[in-house]
Amino acid sequence: MMRPTSPAAMALLRSTVSEASRVPLRTRQTATPCIFCANHKYRSHSAPQRYSSTSSKADASKPHTHYSLFPESLPAGPPPSGRFHVDLPSLKKEFLQLQAQAHPDRHPPATKIKAQALSARINEAYKTLQNPLLRAQYLLSLRGIDVHVDESAKVEDPQLLMEVLEAREQIEEAENEEDLVEMKAQNEDRIANSVKILEEAFEKDDVEGAKHEAVRLRYWINIEDSLQNWEKGKPVVLAH
Amino acid sequence: MLDHYSKPRNVGSMPKTDTDVGTGLVGAPACGDVMKLQIRVDPTNNTISDVKFKTFGCGSAIASSSYMTELVRGMTLEEAARIRNTDIAKELCLPPVKLHCSMLAEDAIKSAISNYYTKNPSARKTDLGGTSAPLPKVEVETITEPKAATA
């Protein structure tokens, strides 16, 4: 049997989801793209006031983060109070517990919509927190730095670009899967090293250092994708 | 213009140690793209005689650099330095989210020109040849000078 999540955690979840529903729809990644329409169909005249309220800017500065959804595995919250490192097994365990309770099929029609939104919110938070790159980008975005959306930013690191170019040319010249083995190992080292540097930077609250390293990690992850999707003679085109 | 996506032109490399080759290497941190653009310059008239690129990124970044290589071939360095990313974006009909790809191509050619001037400081001087043609004003000069001084 699955251990039930504490009532306090569920109360927190409920409050978080009602906030989430006030966030403009396009910024959220919900499983059901139009929960507002669905909501109107379900209860056309009850018109709950929380749906009629327009999103306010104050919501953006809410202290609730992805971390507050996981009070058991991430009690200390985001760094610098908590660590950058996340214990993945315990995060996954808590995620499954939360998701089991929030699953829309377990809720009566009246609360189904809310459960769907909560479920989507838990998914999004889990997806972000379990991945070091997404986690780093998310933590930076909490500090007002959006590395992954700043279109005009440039890489001010010629060394990095040289290394990336060489790694990419190596992949391009690979003849067979065996050629990739060493490259994969080397790239895993790069990723591990970047994650370590990110960990230190976030714990020292060195936002600039974290930003710099998050860019490097972005490149290593792209290389990892290319290594994994490698096929002989297939040109390297990234999808993003 | 889809052609530049499916059949990119001038893909490849030139020996970057050649003195008449300028290499530009730039990257977009948002998406993790890297773009290398190289120009071979004819020192007698400062025009771009050959150009190659290598881009590891999305389709738009590849198309932008491919189009850029077609555009700058035969241009003088001054003309090439004047190309704006909007020229590329317009020609390739890039959607707004892909504008950074054309910016990357603009940065790449500027960086290649700057690299060429760093290798060939005399190329900028106005004492080349004895022609009566007006000698070009170089836009990138102010940018490259500190680099050349510290190199």
Side-chain angles (χ1 to χ4, degrees):
Chain A
M1 269 306 281
M2 197 158 273
R3 193 161 51 93
T5 311
S6 68
M10 281 314 280
L12 179 61
L13 284 177
R14 277 182 215 109
S15 70
T16 325
V17 78
S18 63
E19 276 139 26
S21 58
R22 273 183 271 133
V23 175
L25 193 59
R26 67 186 168 80
T27 64
R28 295 162 50 207
Q29 296 179 335
T30 51
T32 46
C34 196
I35 63 163
F36 294 134
C37 307
N39 177 60
H40 289 309
K41 223 190 283 172
Y42 271 108
R43 23 176 169 165
S44 48
H45 289 293
S46 57
Q49 54 277 42
R50 67 188 175 90
Y51 288 107
S52 59
S53 70
T54 50
S55 79
S56 68
K57 285 189 183 93
D59 286 338
S61 59
K62 279 273 173 196
H64 284 293
T65 64
H66 288 340
Y67 283 76
S68 45
L69 282 173
F70 297 94
E72 285 185 28
S73 44
L74 301 165
S81 61
R83 292 185 63 201
F84 176 71
H85 174 80
V86 165
D87 180 41
L88 292 179
S90 76
L91 183 75
K92 186 174 183 185
K93 193 174 151 207
E94 189 170 9
F95 166 71
L96 291 173
Q97 284 169 357
L98 293 172
Q99 213 47 300
Q101 294 191 24
H103 197 286
D105 289 353
R106 292 180 48 147
H107 291 257
T111 56
K112 211 177 193 88
I113 305 303
K114 206 170 166 179
Q116 270 172 356
L118 173 60
S119 180
R121 172 94 172 75
I122 296 168
N123 272 337
E124 172 69 16
Y126 177 65
K127 195 186 87 188
T128 305
L129 292 176
Q130 53 132 249
N131 177 313
L133 177 62
L134 295 179
R135 194 190 318 140
Q137 289 175 340
Y138 172 70
L139 287 171
L140 286 168
S141 77
L142 291 181
R143 312 294 295 266
I145 298 171
D146 287 303
V147 193
H148 54 302
V149 291
D150 187 356
E151 297 274 316
S152 58
K154 292 177 202 167
V155 176
E156 312 280 356
D157 186 350
Q159 290 285 330
L160 169 68
L161 292 174
M162 281 307 296
E163 192 175 348
V164 171
L165 188 75
E166 274 165 26
R168 294 241 161 238
E169 284 177 339
Q170 262 191 320
I171 300 172
E172 205 178 42
E173 286 157 14
E175 289 290 324
N176 50 51
E177 293 277 346
E178 281 91 79
D179 288 354
L180 300 180
V181 174
E182 198 186 320
M183 293 179 219
K184 280 182 180 162
Q186 192 185 2
N187 201 54
E188 274 162 26
D189 286 348
R190 291 189 186 115
I191 292 175
N193 191 37
S194 273
V195 170
K196 200 171 136 241
I197 293 171
L198 278 170
E199 177 135 26
E200 287 163 6
F202 276 116
E203 270 149 43
K204 283 188 293 191
D205 209 22
D206 171 10
V207 178
E208 272 308 304
K211 181 183 161 191
H212 178 79
E213 201 56 40
V215 169
R216 293 170 61 85
L217 184 58
R218 158 91 273 172
Y219 276 97
W220 309 145
I221 297 292
N222 279 3
I223 290 177
E224 186 183 44
D225 288 349
S226 298
L227 284 166
Q228 267 158 12
N229 299 323
W230 182 88
E231 277 172 44
K232 192 173 166 58
K234 195 176 92 176
V236 184
V237 178
L238 304 175
H240 42 243
Chain B
M1 277 314 118
L2 267 175
D3 217 37
H4 279 284
Y5 290 85
S6 50
K7 279 180 281 166
R9 328 289 155 75
N10 308 312
V11 178
S13 285
M14 291 188 269
K16 63 175 180 186
T17 44
D18 286 10
T19 46
D20 60 346
V21 169
T23 302
L25 185 57
V26 292
C31 44
D33 287 358
V34 56
M35 183 182 287
K36 182 176 81 167
L37 199 143
Q38 292 183 300
I39 49 171
R40 193 181 287 281
V41 180
D42 181 346
T44 58
N45 54 9
N46 260 6
T47 57
I48 297 170
S49 60
D50 195 10
V51 49
K52 293 271 184 232
F53 83 95
K54 228 172 205 191
T55 293
F56 297 99
C58 62
S60 300
I62 294 171
S64 294
S65 35
S66 169
Y67 178 65
M68 176 61 99
T69 58
E70 294 280 271
L71 203 59
V72 299
R73 187 188 295 276
M75 275 189 177
T76 64
L77 294 179
E78 298 71 48
E79 288 166 339
R82 276 200 295 270
I83 296 172
R84 288 288 166 268
N85 76 297
T86 43
D87 306 338
I88 304 164
K90 213 156 60 180
E91 187 66 29
L92 295 174
C93 306
L94 293 180
V97 291
K98 292 292 183 184
L99 281 182
H100 70 276
C101 299
S102 59
M103 287 181 212
L104 208 54
E106 183 191 320
D107 292 341
I109 187 74
K110 290 218 167 83
S111 160
I113 294 170
S114 145
N115 177 253
Y116 176 77
Y117 282 141
T118 308
K119 280 176 167 178
N120 301 274
S122 59
R124 275 180 290 178
K125 292 198 182 126
T126 52
D127 58 358
L128 290 173
T131 61
S132 57
L135 284 149
K137 289 189 191 71
V138 179
E139 220 180 321
V140 291
E141 192 167 354
T142 47
I143 307 164
T144 59
E145 216 142 43
K147 256 190 203 166
T150 53

